[in-house]
Amino acid sequence: MSFAGLYGDATVEESHAVLDACRYAGVTHIDTANVYGNGRSEELIGRWFGANPGVRDEVVLATKAGITRDPERRFNNDPDHLEMSLDESLERLGVDHVDIFYVHRYDRTHSPEDVGGTLKRLIDKGKTRAVGFSEIAPSTLRRAATECPIAAVQSEYSLSTRAPELGLIQTCAERGTTLVAFSPVGRAFLTDAPFSYERAQSMAFTKSNPRFVEPNYGANIAATDRFRSLAADMGEPAAALAIAWLIAQGDHVLPIPGTKNTNHLAELLRGTELNLSKEDRQRIDEVLPVGWAHGDRYTQSQWEGPERYC
């Protein structure tokens, strides 16, 4: 998503430099979606595949569909719409299949069982090897899984967003489903260089997001200053500590940080090398206890689509 301009524009060269660095470091999972820059992210990744023969076979490639630009119907899980969207994604990516195809937002005009059946047919057609959902409730996962194995569920999960601990992590573990944690560094709050207030106000997503408006913004900076100090005491980048904390939550938890900066990428990758002790995790919980964040993670309009379940 960072390639597509949500947090500022990224050039082709910057995006491909990040992908090159990922390949060199052994990163094997690439996640995108058709709405990221109206296909721009997929196109950038497709161009990188084209410039690097053989690299496609080295990675798990995931994309998503189900969010529309139609103001009358923002989410669409109709079988023909999902298949058409996947076909368009395959064309932009320059591949004949993806490894995981997600329903980006569950469309409540369909039952979870019906959507699961739709996804099963896409597997049967060879257009994806596995399927998943994004931002669904544990009950939706259980129902969809009666019609098709659900390999992964994406959810925002980090030290600043702990809701998945109230049922989703547990349900994923029970079903053998990977919990794919997006925004694992709290949209920069859990890094050594969080967005300034002025920069946050210049970006479409953050300028109205409750955690980035005053007085919440200042309170969140003050709270995460304690985390940055702890990371410095441990001799690690704050982002690395945030990634390591997520990895420690379970073997089925997979953080997917996004960046368009190779220096930031190195900090994120450092988190995969850390093995936090029980005492380390306790120190983290002391400086950022459950519920520390000021403000909701979404505005009311941003909450349209994700399922609330607790």
Side-chain angles (χ1 to χ4, degrees):
M1 187 167 62
S2 294
F3 294 171
L6 185 69
Y7 301 118
D9 291 335
T11 66
V12 174
E13 292 75 19
E14 287 172 329
S15 301
H16 286 190
V18 166
L19 292 169
D20 288 339
C22 284
R23 186 185 188 190
Y24 179 78
V27 173
T28 57
H29 187 89
I30 297 177
D31 180 276
T32 185
N34 63 348
V35 295
Y36 295 166
N38 290 322
R40 175 172 169 77
S41 176
E42 292 178 327
E43 290 170 354
L44 287 168
I45 294 167
R47 290 173 64 178
W48 184 68
F49 286 152
N52 294 274
V55 71
R56 168 65 184 97
D57 296 331
E58 300 173 7
V59 301
V60 174
L61 176 63
T63 195
K64 301 181 281 291
I67 298 176
T68 77
R69 298 298 177 185
D70 182 354
E72 300 301 318
R73 189 178 184 187
R74 292 185 59 188
F75 313 111
N76 188 342
N77 293 174
D78 292 354
D80 58 347
H81 177 79
L82 289 179
E83 184 167 6
M84 177 189 70
S85 298
L86 177 53
D87 287 342
E88 292 170 348
S89 291
L90 295 178
E91 183 175 353
R92 285 189 290 267
L93 290 162
V95 300
D96 61 4
H97 72 280
V98 293
D99 298 293
I100 306 175
F101 178 62
Y102 291 95
V103 171
H104 206 163
R105 290 291 184 269
Y106 169 54
D107 167 11
R108 295 174 181 82
T109 65
H110 297 272
S111 71
E113 293 85 355
D114 284 345
V115 181
T118 295
L119 294 174
K120 178 63 166 61
R121 288 187 289 275
L122 294 175
I123 295 175
D124 292 343
K125 290 182 178 183
K127 297 183 180 185
T128 183
R129 290 181 173 172
V131 296
F133 284 85
S134 178
E135 302 250 53
I136 59 167
S139 57
T140 301
L141 168 59
R142 289 192 291 268
R143 290 178 61 184
T146 63
E147 297 298 321
C148 180
I150 305 302
V153 171
Q154 285 199 18
S155 182
E156 182 174 356
Y157 184 35
S158 70
L159 279 162
S160 59
T161 298
R162 305 283 290 269
E165 295 172 2
L166 297 176
L168 188 60
I169 287 178
Q170 296 87 340
T171 304
C172 285
E174 291 166 6
R175 304 213 62 88
T177 298
T178 299
L179 176 63
V180 179
F182 70 81
S183 297
V185 294
R187 305 186 192 278
F189 273 125
L190 303 173
T191 73
D192 290 315
F195 298 139
S196 68
Y197 180 74
E198 291 73 23
R199 187 179 176 200
Q201 289 301 298
S202 73
M203 297 182 289
F205 179 86
T206 53
K207 70 179 180 181
S208 60
N209 183 273
R211 292 185 176 176
F212 289 88
V213 299
E214 293 292 10
N216 292 338
Y217 171 84
N220 287 326
I221 290 294
T224 52
D225 277 344
R226 300 191 298 269
F227 180 68
R228 280 181 281 278
S229 294
L230 173 61
D233 289 344
M234 296 172 69
E236 300 293 347
L241 202 58
I243 294 294
W245 179 89
L246 266 173
I247 292 172
Q249 303 312 301
D251 291 340
H252 67 302
V253 177
L254 172 69
I256 50 166
T259 186
K260 58 181 186 293
N261 182 296
T262 54
N263 291 330
H264 293 168
L265 175 66
E267 295 179 353
L268 297 164
L269 291 174
R270 173 60 182 158
T272 69
E273 301 170 350
L274 301 181
N275 186 15
L276 299 181
S277 67
K278 181 179 179 181
E279 291 72 23
D280 291 334
R281 296 195 296 273
Q282 287 176 338
R283 293 174 71 189
I284 293 170
D285 287 338
E286 286 171 3
V287 298
L288 289 181
V290 175
W292 66 266
H294 296 255
D296 202 347
R297 73 182 181 100
Y298 282 154
T299 64
Q300 193 58 43
S301 63
Q302 289 164 350
W303 265 118
E304 292 180 21
E307 290 193 293
R308 301 191 191 196
Y309 50 90
C310 56

